[in-house]
Amino acid sequence: QKEVEQDPGPLSVPEGAIVSLNCTYSNSAFQYFMWYRQYSRKGPELLMYTYSSGNKEDGRFTAQVDKSSKYISLFIRDSQPSDSATYLCAMSVNTGFQKLVFGTGTRLLVSP
Amino acid sequence: NAGVMQNPRHLVRRRGQEARLRCSPMKGHSHVYWYRQLPEEGLKFMVYLQKENIIDESGMPKERFSAEFPKEGPSILRIQQVVRGDSAAYFCASSPGTNQPQHFGDGTRLSIL
């Protein structure tokens, strides 16, 4: 079993839709949670990060962490074609942002 | 404000040759991390370095792979006697400290003939 599970997609939505991306994990020691966006042939771009449980909002993006269920989510409101990319969740244990463990990524396609 | 710079962007080697991948961290960042991304797989941690020190190399293959981050100059990931299975995208990330998230470069795509 992988430490971090993420549905590979692709997830296809129309422009303006609310998108929900999710990851589950098995290691209860994970305390730092990140979402990265990766365009084709580019490096991962940090979108949001949170520590422990709770919600965090930044513009159209909201990250949620539910440690009791070992489940994290990223919501994108008013999705745009430019949001089409692969979204990676990443986690690390409570010593800090060091050895990140990534999900395999979910490919998102937003059609105009 | 330049981001993490990796070069070359693409590298082609024949089996048995050596591959050297370079990474210059963001300005003010003294922590460097290397990851490998195989097709249809997530990024896998390889090694974490600070200037002149290897902090965590638990993800590095035991043979043929080495990494350094000298006092002056970029971090280098070195793969000796490359094999077909080394073909992958290698990403470098940097951070100013362990309490700050990592920022990634655009990777080096290594192809082995």
Side-chain angles (χ1 to χ4, degrees), chain B residues 20-53:
Chain B
R20 281 187 179 234
L21 289 62
R22 289 179 291 277
C23 169
S24 295
M26 288 178 69
K27 188 175 181 180
H29 289 195
S30 58
H31 298 245
V32 166
Y33 314 81
W34 286 93
Y35 293 80
R36 177 165 61 177
Q37 187 174 40
L38 293 167
E40 308 304 323
E41 293 189 23
L43 284 87
K44 302 292 186 191
F45 170 83
M46 299 181 75
V47 63
Y48 160 38
L49 311 103
Q50 295 181 29
K51 284 284 187 182
E52 300 184 280
N53 286 302

PDB file of all heavy atoms in Angstrom, chain B residues 20-53:
ATOM      1  N   ARG B  20      25.720  14.125 -15.073  1.00  0.00           N
ATOM      2  CA  ARG B  20      25.855  15.143 -14.016  1.00  0.00           C
ATOM      3  C   ARG B  20      24.731  16.148 -14.165  1.00  0.00           C
ATOM      4  O   ARG B  20      24.618  16.800 -15.197  1.00  0.00           O
ATOM      5  CB  ARG B  20      27.201  15.851 -14.125  1.00  0.00           C
ATOM      6  CG  ARG B  20      28.346  15.057 -13.564  1.00  0.00           C
ATOM      7  CD  ARG B  20      29.636  15.852 -13.535  1.00  0.00           C
ATOM      8  NE  ARG B  20      30.700  15.058 -12.972  1.00  0.00           N
ATOM      9  CZ  ARG B  20      31.448  15.453 -11.948  1.00  0.00           C
ATOM     10  NH1 ARG B  20      31.241  16.619 -11.395  1.00  0.00           N
ATOM     11  NH2 ARG B  20      32.384  14.663 -11.482  1.00  0.00           N
ATOM     12  N   LEU B  21      23.952  16.284 -13.119  1.00  0.00           N
ATOM     13  CA  LEU B  21      22.821  17.198 -13.118  1.00  0.00           C
ATOM     14  C   LEU B  21      23.120  18.298 -12.113  1.00  0.00           C
ATOM     15  O   LEU B  21      23.541  18.018 -10.988  1.00  0.00           O
ATOM     16  CB  LEU B  21      21.532  16.462 -12.724  1.00  0.00           C
ATOM     17  CG  LEU B  21      20.922  15.463 -13.734  1.00  0.00           C
ATOM     18  CD1 LEU B  21      21.838  14.290 -14.050  1.00  0.00           C
ATOM     19  CD2 LEU B  21      19.587  14.962 -13.216  1.00  0.00           C
ATOM     20  N   ARG B  22      22.852  19.535 -12.516  1.00  0.00           N
ATOM     21  CA  ARG B  22      23.204  20.672 -11.666  1.00  0.00           C
ATOM     22  C   ARG B  22      21.970  21.427 -11.193  1.00  0.00           C
ATOM     23  O   ARG B  22      20.969  21.517 -11.916  1.00  0.00           O
ATOM     24  CB  ARG B  22      24.135  21.626 -12.415  1.00  0.00           C
ATOM     25  CG  ARG B  22      25.531  21.089 -12.618  1.00  0.00           C
ATOM     26  CD  ARG B  22      26.386  22.053 -13.388  1.00  0.00           C
ATOM     27  NE  ARG B  22      25.958  22.170 -14.782  1.00  0.00           N
ATOM     28  CZ  ARG B  22      26.314  21.325 -15.736  1.00  0.00           C
ATOM     29  NH1 ARG B  22      27.080  20.285 -15.458  1.00  0.00           N
ATOM     30  NH2 ARG B  22      25.910  21.508 -16.969  1.00  0.00           N
ATOM     31  N   CYS B  23      22.069  21.975  -9.997  1.00  0.00           N
ATOM     32  CA  CYS B  23      20.953  22.714  -9.404  1.00  0.00           C
ATOM     33  C   CYS B  23      21.468  23.905  -8.629  1.00  0.00           C
ATOM     34  O   CYS B  23      22.286  23.744  -7.714  1.00  0.00           O
ATOM     35  CB  CYS B  23      20.158  21.805  -8.472  1.00  0.00           C
ATOM     36  SG  CYS B  23      18.941  22.669  -7.451  1.00  0.00           S
ATOM     37  N   SER B  24      21.000  25.095  -9.000  1.00  0.00           N
ATOM     38  CA  SER B  24      21.298  26.304  -8.234  1.00  0.00           C
ATOM     39  C   SER B  24      20.043  26.707  -7.478  1.00  0.00           C
ATOM     40  O   SER B  24      19.008  26.985  -8.095  1.00  0.00           O
ATOM     41  CB  SER B  24      21.737  27.436  -9.175  1.00  0.00           C
ATOM     42  OG  SER B  24      22.956  27.100  -9.810  1.00  0.00           O
ATOM     43  N   PRO B  25      20.110  26.720  -6.151  1.00  0.00           N
ATOM     44  CA  PRO B  25      18.905  27.037  -5.375  1.00  0.00           C
ATOM     45  C   PRO B  25      18.507  28.499  -5.513  1.00  0.00           C
ATOM     46  O   PRO B  25      19.266  29.316  -6.042  1.00  0.00           O
ATOM     47  CB  PRO B  25      19.325  26.723  -3.936  1.00  0.00           C
ATOM     48  CG  PRO B  25      20.810  26.872  -3.937  1.00  0.00           C
ATOM     49  CD  PRO B  25      21.263  26.463  -5.308  1.00  0.00           C
ATOM     50  N   MET B  26      17.325  28.814  -5.045  1.00  0.00           N
ATOM     51  CA  MET B  26      16.874  30.201  -5.011  1.00  0.00           C
ATOM     52  C   MET B  26      17.797  31.002  -4.105  1.00  0.00           C
ATOM     53  O   MET B  26      18.389  30.472  -3.157  1.00  0.00           O
ATOM     54  CB  MET B  26      15.439  30.284  -4.490  1.00  0.00           C
ATOM     55  CG  MET B  26      14.399  29.777  -5.465  1.00  0.00           C
ATOM     56  SD  MET B  26      12.724  29.845  -4.811  1.00  0.00           S
ATOM     57  CE  MET B  26      12.459  31.621  -4.751  1.00  0.00           C
ATOM     58  N   LYS B  27      17.891  32.275  -4.366  1.00  0.00           N
ATOM     59  CA  LYS B  27      18.735  33.152  -3.569  1.00  0.00           C
ATOM     60  C   LYS B  27      18.254  33.110  -2.118  1.00  0.00           C
ATOM     61  O   LYS B  27      17.043  33.216  -1.836  1.00  0.00           O
ATOM     62  CB  LYS B  27      18.649  34.583  -4.103  1.00  0.00           C
ATOM     63  CG  LYS B  27      19.636  35.544  -3.464  1.00  0.00           C
ATOM     64  CD  LYS B  27      19.584  36.900  -4.130  1.00  0.00           C
ATOM     65  CE  LYS B  27      20.601  37.853  -3.501  1.00  0.00           C
ATOM     66  NZ  LYS B  27      20.577  39.185  -4.137  1.00  0.00           N
ATOM     67  N   GLY B  28      19.201  32.928  -1.211  1.00  0.00           N
ATOM     68  CA  GLY B  28      18.855  32.884   0.206  1.00  0.00           C
ATOM     69  C   GLY B  28      18.472  31.508   0.717  1.00  0.00           C
ATOM     70  O   GLY B  28      18.226  31.332   1.913  1.00  0.00           O
ATOM     71  N   HIS B  29      18.409  30.523  -0.173  1.00  0.00           N
ATOM     72  CA  HIS B  29      18.070  29.157   0.232  1.00  0.00           C
ATOM     73  C   HIS B  29      19.352  28.343   0.397  1.00  0.00           C
ATOM     74  O   HIS B  29      20.171  28.273  -0.529  1.00  0.00           O
ATOM     75  CB  HIS B  29      17.180  28.487  -0.816  1.00  0.00           C
ATOM     76  CG  HIS B  29      15.793  29.038  -0.876  1.00  0.00           C
ATOM     77  ND1 HIS B  29      14.761  28.382  -1.528  1.00  0.00           N
ATOM     78  CD2 HIS B  29      15.261  30.170  -0.365  1.00  0.00           C
ATOM     79  CE1 HIS B  29      13.658  29.091  -1.404  1.00  0.00           C
ATOM     80  NE2 HIS B  29      13.925  30.194  -0.721  1.00  0.00           N
ATOM     81  N   SER B  30      19.463  27.700   1.549  1.00  0.00           N
ATOM     82  CA  SER B  30      20.668  26.906   1.801  1.00  0.00           C
ATOM     83  C   SER B  30      20.366  25.415   1.923  1.00  0.00           C
ATOM     84  O   SER B  30      21.243  24.623   2.250  1.00  0.00           O
ATOM     85  CB  SER B  30      21.340  27.390   3.092  1.00  0.00           C
ATOM     86  OG  SER B  30      20.433  27.289   4.181  1.00  0.00           O
ATOM     87  N   HIS B  31      19.093  25.043   1.688  1.00  0.00           N
ATOM     88  CA  HIS B  31      18.691  23.642   1.775  1.00  0.00           C
ATOM     89  C   HIS B  31      18.276  23.184   0.376  1.00  0.00           C
ATOM     90  O   HIS B  31      17.473  23.847  -0.286  1.00  0.00           O
ATOM     91  CB  HIS B  31      17.517  23.473   2.734  1.00  0.00           C
ATOM     92  CG  HIS B  31      17.810  23.881   4.149  1.00  0.00           C
ATOM     93  ND1 HIS B  31      17.807  22.996   5.192  1.00  0.00           N
ATOM     94  CD2 HIS B  31      18.140  25.079   4.673  1.00  0.00           C
ATOM     95  CE1 HIS B  31      18.117  23.635   6.316  1.00  0.00           C
ATOM     96  NE2 HIS B  31      18.325  24.897   6.029  1.00  0.00           N
ATOM     97  N   VAL B  32      18.827  22.065  -0.051  1.00  0.00           N
ATOM     98  CA  VAL B  32      18.563  21.536  -1.391  1.00  0.00           C
ATOM     99  C   VAL B  32      18.085  20.091  -1.291  1.00  0.00           C
ATOM    100  O   VAL B  32      18.591  19.315  -0.474  1.00  0.00           O
ATOM    101  CB  VAL B  32      19.835  21.614  -2.270  1.00  0.00           C
ATOM    102  CG1 VAL B  32      19.690  20.769  -3.523  1.00  0.00           C
ATOM    103  CG2 VAL B  32      20.128  23.065  -2.651  1.00  0.00           C
ATOM    104  N   TYR B  33      17.117  19.777  -2.135  1.00  0.00           N
ATOM    105  CA  TYR B  33      16.526  18.434  -2.147  1.00  0.00           C
ATOM    106  C   TYR B  33      16.466  17.949  -3.593  1.00  0.00           C
ATOM    107  O   TYR B  33      16.198  18.715  -4.501  1.00  0.00           O
ATOM    108  CB  TYR B  33      15.092  18.474  -1.593  1.00  0.00           C
ATOM    109  CG  TYR B  33      14.926  19.271  -0.318  1.00  0.00           C
ATOM    110  CD1 TYR B  33      14.819  20.663  -0.360  1.00  0.00           C
ATOM    111  CD2 TYR B  33      14.873  18.645   0.921  1.00  0.00           C
ATOM    112  CE1 TYR B  33      14.668  21.408   0.798  1.00  0.00           C
ATOM    113  CE2 TYR B  33      14.712  19.387   2.088  1.00  0.00           C
ATOM    114  CZ  TYR B  33      14.621  20.763   2.021  1.00  0.00           C
ATOM    115  OH  TYR B  33      14.479  21.496   3.174  1.00  0.00           O
ATOM    116  N   TRP B  34      16.702  16.663  -3.782  1.00  0.00           N
ATOM    117  CA  TRP B  34      16.580  16.056  -5.106  1.00  0.00           C
ATOM    118  C   TRP B  34      15.480  14.994  -5.087  1.00  0.00           C
ATOM    119  O   TRP B  34      15.378  14.200  -4.132  1.00  0.00           O
ATOM    120  CB  TRP B  34      17.894  15.399  -5.531  1.00  0.00           C
ATOM    121  CG  TRP B  34      18.974  16.352  -5.931  1.00  0.00           C
ATOM    122  CD1 TRP B  34      19.952  16.879  -5.138  1.00  0.00           C
ATOM    123  CD2 TRP B  34      19.197  16.891  -7.239  1.00  0.00           C
ATOM    124  NE1 TRP B  34      20.771  17.712  -5.861  1.00  0.00           N
ATOM    125  CE2 TRP B  34      20.337  17.730  -7.161  1.00  0.00           C
ATOM    126  CE3 TRP B  34      18.570  16.734  -8.479  1.00  0.00           C
ATOM    127  CZ2 TRP B  34      20.845  18.425  -8.263  1.00  0.00           C
ATOM    128  CZ3 TRP B  34      19.071  17.414  -9.576  1.00  0.00           C
ATOM    129  CH2 TRP B  34      20.197  18.245  -9.467  1.00  0.00           C
ATOM    130  N   TYR B  35      14.673  15.001  -6.164  1.00  0.00           N
ATOM    131  CA  TYR B  35      13.603  14.031  -6.333  1.00  0.00           C
ATOM    132  C   TYR B  35      13.687  13.437  -7.735  1.00  0.00           C
ATOM    133  O   TYR B  35      14.173  14.082  -8.662  1.00  0.00           O
ATOM    134  CB  TYR B  35      12.221  14.702  -6.178  1.00  0.00           C
ATOM    135  CG  TYR B  35      11.922  15.195  -4.789  1.00  0.00           C
ATOM    136  CD1 TYR B  35      12.433  16.411  -4.330  1.00  0.00           C
ATOM    137  CD2 TYR B  35      11.122  14.464  -3.914  1.00  0.00           C
ATOM    138  CE1 TYR B  35      12.166  16.874  -3.057  1.00  0.00           C
ATOM    139  CE2 TYR B  35      10.832  14.919  -2.632  1.00  0.00           C
ATOM    140  CZ  TYR B  35      11.365  16.121  -2.215  1.00  0.00           C
ATOM    141  OH  TYR B  35      11.093  16.573  -0.942  1.00  0.00           O
ATOM    142  N   ARG B  36      13.160  12.234  -7.884  1.00  0.00           N
ATOM    143  CA  ARG B  36      13.105  11.587  -9.194  1.00  0.00           C
ATOM    144  C   ARG B  36      11.646  11.296  -9.516  1.00  0.00           C
ATOM    145  O   ARG B  36      10.890  10.849  -8.642  1.00  0.00           O
ATOM    146  CB  ARG B  36      13.931  10.295  -9.188  1.00  0.00           C
ATOM    147  CG  ARG B  36      13.859   9.525 -10.489  1.00  0.00           C
ATOM    148  CD  ARG B  36      14.938   8.480 -10.578  1.00  0.00           C
ATOM    149  NE  ARG B  36      14.878   7.456  -9.546  1.00  0.00           N
ATOM    150  CZ  ARG B  36      15.707   6.413  -9.500  1.00  0.00           C
ATOM    151  NH1 ARG B  36      16.634   6.266 -10.414  1.00  0.00           N
ATOM    152  NH2 ARG B  36      15.598   5.533  -8.535  1.00  0.00           N
ATOM    153  N   GLN B  37      11.254  11.538 -10.764  1.00  0.00           N
ATOM    154  CA  GLN B  37       9.888  11.281 -11.202  1.00  0.00           C
ATOM    155  C   GLN B  37       9.923  10.337 -12.392  1.00  0.00           C
ATOM    156  O   GLN B  37      10.406  10.705 -13.465  1.00  0.00           O
ATOM    157  CB  GLN B  37       9.174  12.589 -11.569  1.00  0.00           C
ATOM    158  CG  GLN B  37       7.694  12.426 -11.885  1.00  0.00           C
ATOM    159  CD  GLN B  37       7.005  13.768 -12.106  1.00  0.00           C
ATOM    160  OE1 GLN B  37       7.553  14.679 -12.714  1.00  0.00           O
ATOM    161  NE2 GLN B  37       5.785  13.910 -11.593  1.00  0.00           N
ATOM    162  N   LEU B  38       9.425   9.135 -12.180  1.00  0.00           N
ATOM    163  CA  LEU B  38       9.320   8.164 -13.257  1.00  0.00           C
ATOM    164  C   LEU B  38       7.955   8.310 -13.916  1.00  0.00           C
ATOM    165  O   LEU B  38       6.999   8.785 -13.281  1.00  0.00           O
ATOM    166  CB  LEU B  38       9.499   6.748 -12.703  1.00  0.00           C
ATOM    167  CG  LEU B  38      10.902   6.437 -12.164  1.00  0.00           C
ATOM    168  CD1 LEU B  38      10.893   5.148 -11.365  1.00  0.00           C
ATOM    169  CD2 LEU B  38      11.897   6.362 -13.307  1.00  0.00           C
ATOM    170  N   PRO B  39       7.830   7.905 -15.186  1.00  0.00           N
ATOM    171  CA  PRO B  39       6.533   8.006 -15.878  1.00  0.00           C
ATOM    172  C   PRO B  39       5.433   7.329 -15.073  1.00  0.00           C
ATOM    173  O   PRO B  39       5.616   6.221 -14.565  1.00  0.00           O
ATOM    174  CB  PRO B  39       6.792   7.297 -17.203  1.00  0.00           C
ATOM    175  CG  PRO B  39       8.257   7.435 -17.422  1.00  0.00           C
ATOM    176  CD  PRO B  39       8.879   7.377 -16.050  1.00  0.00           C
ATOM    177  N   GLU B  40       4.306   8.004 -14.940  1.00  0.00           N
ATOM    178  CA  GLU B  40       3.107   7.487 -14.255  1.00  0.00           C
ATOM    179  C   GLU B  40       3.337   7.275 -12.759  1.00  0.00           C
ATOM    180  O   GLU B  40       2.542   6.618 -12.094  1.00  0.00           O
ATOM    181  CB  GLU B  40       2.642   6.157 -14.884  1.00  0.00           C
ATOM    182  CG  GLU B  40       2.466   6.218 -16.391  1.00  0.00           C
ATOM    183  CD  GLU B  40       1.509   7.309 -16.831  1.00  0.00           C
ATOM    184  OE1 GLU B  40       0.506   7.532 -16.134  1.00  0.00           O
ATOM    185  OE2 GLU B  40       1.764   7.950 -17.877  1.00  0.00           O
ATOM    186  N   GLU B  41       4.411   7.820 -12.217  1.00  0.00           N
ATOM    187  CA  GLU B  41       4.660   7.709 -10.778  1.00  0.00           C
ATOM    188  C   GLU B  41       4.836   9.094 -10.170  1.00  0.00           C
ATOM    189  O   GLU B  41       5.144  10.056 -10.848  1.00  0.00           O
ATOM    190  CB  GLU B  41       5.903   6.861 -10.510  1.00  0.00           C
ATOM    191  CG  GLU B  41       5.745   5.407 -10.900  1.00  0.00           C
ATOM    192  CD  GLU B  41       6.913   4.575 -10.419  1.00  0.00           C
ATOM    193  OE1 GLU B  41       7.596   4.995  -9.463  1.00  0.00           O
ATOM    194  OE2 GLU B  41       7.145   3.505 -11.001  1.00  0.00           O
ATOM    195  N   GLY B  42       4.667   9.178  -8.896  1.00  0.00           N
ATOM    196  CA  GLY B  42       4.871  10.444  -8.202  1.00  0.00           C
ATOM    197  C   GLY B  42       6.346  10.717  -8.006  1.00  0.00           C
ATOM    198  O   GLY B  42       7.203   9.881  -8.267  1.00  0.00           O
ATOM    199  N   LEU B  43       6.625  11.908  -7.535  1.00  0.00           N
ATOM    200  CA  LEU B  43       8.010  12.259  -7.220  1.00  0.00           C
ATOM    201  C   LEU B  43       8.475  11.456  -6.004  1.00  0.00           C
ATOM    202  O   LEU B  43       7.760  11.340  -5.012  1.00  0.00           O
ATOM    203  CB  LEU B  43       8.136  13.741  -6.914  1.00  0.00           C
ATOM    204  CG  LEU B  43       8.101  14.694  -8.100  1.00  0.00           C
ATOM    205  CD1 LEU B  43       6.688  15.078  -8.448  1.00  0.00           C
ATOM    206  CD2 LEU B  43       8.930  15.941  -7.807  1.00  0.00           C
ATOM    207  N   LYS B  44       9.691  10.940  -6.105  1.00  0.00           N
ATOM    208  CA  LYS B  44      10.267  10.165  -5.013  1.00  0.00           C
ATOM    209  C   LYS B  44      11.488  10.907  -4.471  1.00  0.00           C
ATOM    210  O   LYS B  44      12.397  11.266  -5.234  1.00  0.00           O
ATOM    211  CB  LYS B  44      10.714   8.774  -5.502  1.00  0.00           C
ATOM    212  CG  LYS B  44       9.604   7.959  -6.125  1.00  0.00           C
ATOM    213  CD  LYS B  44       8.561   7.531  -5.137  1.00  0.00           C
ATOM    214  CE  LYS B  44       7.559   6.588  -5.792  1.00  0.00           C
ATOM    215  NZ  LYS B  44       6.385   6.347  -4.926  1.00  0.00           N
ATOM    216  N   PHE B  45      11.510  11.101  -3.172  1.00  0.00           N
ATOM    217  CA  PHE B  45      12.636  11.760  -2.512  1.00  0.00           C
ATOM    218  C   PHE B  45      13.920  10.956  -2.699  1.00  0.00           C
ATOM    219  O   PHE B  45      13.920   9.719  -2.599  1.00  0.00           O
ATOM    220  CB  PHE B  45      12.331  11.895  -1.022  1.00  0.00           C
ATOM    221  CG  PHE B  45      13.494  12.330  -0.187  1.00  0.00           C
ATOM    222  CD1 PHE B  45      13.828  13.671  -0.078  1.00  0.00           C
ATOM    223  CD2 PHE B  45      14.261  11.391   0.500  1.00  0.00           C
ATOM    224  CE1 PHE B  45      14.897  14.073   0.698  1.00  0.00           C
ATOM    225  CE2 PHE B  45      15.330  11.783   1.284  1.00  0.00           C
ATOM    226  CZ  PHE B  45      15.655  13.129   1.387  1.00  0.00           C
ATOM    227  N   MET B  46      15.004  11.674  -2.978  1.00  0.00           N
ATOM    228  CA  MET B  46      16.301  11.006  -3.098  1.00  0.00           C
ATOM    229  C   MET B  46      17.245  11.446  -1.975  1.00  0.00           C
ATOM    230  O   MET B  46      17.743  10.614  -1.213  1.00  0.00           O
ATOM    231  CB  MET B  46      16.934  11.310  -4.452  1.00  0.00           C
ATOM    232  CG  MET B  46      16.131  10.833  -5.639  1.00  0.00           C
ATOM    233  SD  MET B  46      16.942  11.189  -7.197  1.00  0.00           S
ATOM    234  CE  MET B  46      18.238   9.939  -7.186  1.00  0.00           C
ATOM    235  N   VAL B  47      17.489  12.758  -1.878  1.00  0.00           N
ATOM    236  CA  VAL B  47      18.514  13.225  -0.956  1.00  0.00           C
ATOM    237  C   VAL B  47      18.241  14.665  -0.551  1.00  0.00           C
ATOM    238  O   VAL B  47      17.648  15.432  -1.304  1.00  0.00           O
ATOM    239  CB  VAL B  47      19.914  13.078  -1.600  1.00  0.00           C
ATOM    240  CG1 VAL B  47      20.022  13.959  -2.841  1.00  0.00           C
ATOM    241  CG2 VAL B  47      21.031  13.393  -0.627  1.00  0.00           C
ATOM    242  N   TYR B  48      18.690  14.986   0.687  1.00  0.00           N
ATOM    243  CA  TYR B  48      18.543  16.344   1.230  1.00  0.00           C
ATOM    244  C   TYR B  48      19.924  16.814   1.666  1.00  0.00           C
ATOM    245  O   TYR B  48      20.615  16.107   2.417  1.00  0.00           O
ATOM    246  CB  TYR B  48      17.545  16.302   2.386  1.00  0.00           C
ATOM    247  CG  TYR B  48      17.578  17.449   3.377  1.00  0.00           C
ATOM    248  CD1 TYR B  48      17.800  18.765   2.974  1.00  0.00           C
ATOM    249  CD2 TYR B  48      17.349  17.204   4.728  1.00  0.00           C
ATOM    250  CE1 TYR B  48      17.807  19.797   3.905  1.00  0.00           C
ATOM    251  CE2 TYR B  48      17.349  18.226   5.654  1.00  0.00           C
ATOM    252  CZ  TYR B  48      17.589  19.521   5.246  1.00  0.00           C
ATOM    253  OH  TYR B  48      17.602  20.544   6.164  1.00  0.00           O
ATOM    254  N   LEU B  49      20.327  17.983   1.196  1.00  0.00           N
ATOM    255  CA  LEU B  49      21.660  18.491   1.499  1.00  0.00           C
ATOM    256  C   LEU B  49      21.593  19.927   1.992  1.00  0.00           C
ATOM    257  O   LEU B  49      20.712  20.691   1.613  1.00  0.00           O
ATOM    258  CB  LEU B  49      22.549  18.483   0.243  1.00  0.00           C
ATOM    259  CG  LEU B  49      22.623  17.227  -0.601  1.00  0.00           C
ATOM    260  CD1 LEU B  49      21.775  17.367  -1.857  1.00  0.00           C
ATOM    261  CD2 LEU B  49      24.057  16.938  -0.999  1.00  0.00           C
ATOM    262  N   GLN B  50      22.531  20.263   2.833  1.00  0.00           N
ATOM    263  CA  GLN B  50      22.844  21.648   3.139  1.00  0.00           C
ATOM    264  C   GLN B  50      24.279  21.876   2.675  1.00  0.00           C
ATOM    265  O   GLN B  50      24.960  20.935   2.301  1.00  0.00           O
ATOM    266  CB  GLN B  50      22.698  21.926   4.629  1.00  0.00           C
ATOM    267  CG  GLN B  50      21.269  21.800   5.134  1.00  0.00           C
ATOM    268  CD  GLN B  50      21.152  22.100   6.618  1.00  0.00           C
ATOM    269  OE1 GLN B  50      21.918  22.868   7.183  1.00  0.00           O
ATOM    270  NE2 GLN B  50      20.182  21.470   7.272  1.00  0.00           N
ATOM    271  N   LYS B  51      24.725  23.096   2.741  1.00  0.00           N
ATOM    272  CA  LYS B  51      26.067  23.406   2.241  1.00  0.00           C
ATOM    273  C   LYS B  51      27.105  22.465   2.857  1.00  0.00           C
ATOM    274  O   LYS B  51      27.240  22.388   4.081  1.00  0.00           O
ATOM    275  CB  LYS B  51      26.445  24.835   2.581  1.00  0.00           C
ATOM    276  CG  LYS B  51      25.754  25.876   1.703  1.00  0.00           C
ATOM    277  CD  LYS B  51      26.379  25.935   0.327  1.00  0.00           C
ATOM    278  CE  LYS B  51      25.804  27.104  -0.481  1.00  0.00           C
ATOM    279  NZ  LYS B  51      26.385  27.142  -1.841  1.00  0.00           N
ATOM    280  N   GLU B  52      27.773  21.714   2.002  1.00  0.00           N
ATOM    281  CA  GLU B  52      28.873  20.816   2.362  1.00  0.00           C
ATOM    282  C   GLU B  52      28.442  19.637   3.226  1.00  0.00           C
ATOM    283  O   GLU B  52      29.289  18.906   3.744  1.00  0.00           O
ATOM    284  CB  GLU B  52      29.997  21.588   3.069  1.00  0.00           C
ATOM    285  CG  GLU B  52      30.609  22.690   2.215  1.00  0.00           C
ATOM    286  CD  GLU B  52      31.782  23.360   2.892  1.00  0.00           C
ATOM    287  OE1 GLU B  52      31.544  24.227   3.756  1.00  0.00           O
ATOM    288  OE2 GLU B  52      32.931  23.016   2.551  1.00  0.00           O
ATOM    289  N   ASN B  53      27.141  19.421   3.388  1.00  0.00           N
ATOM    290  CA  ASN B  53      26.679  18.306   4.216  1.00  0.00           C
ATOM    291  C   ASN B  53      25.514  17.572   3.562  1.00  0.00           C
ATOM    292  O   ASN B  53      24.602  18.192   3.016  1.00  0.00           O
ATOM    293  CB  ASN B  53      26.213  18.806   5.586  1.00  0.00           C
ATOM    294  CG  ASN B  53      27.368  19.182   6.472  1.00  0.00           C
ATOM    295  OD1 ASN B  53      28.240  18.381   6.767  1.00  0.00           O
ATOM    296  ND2 ASN B  53      27.376  20.436   6.919  1.00  0.00           N
TER     297      ASN B  53
END
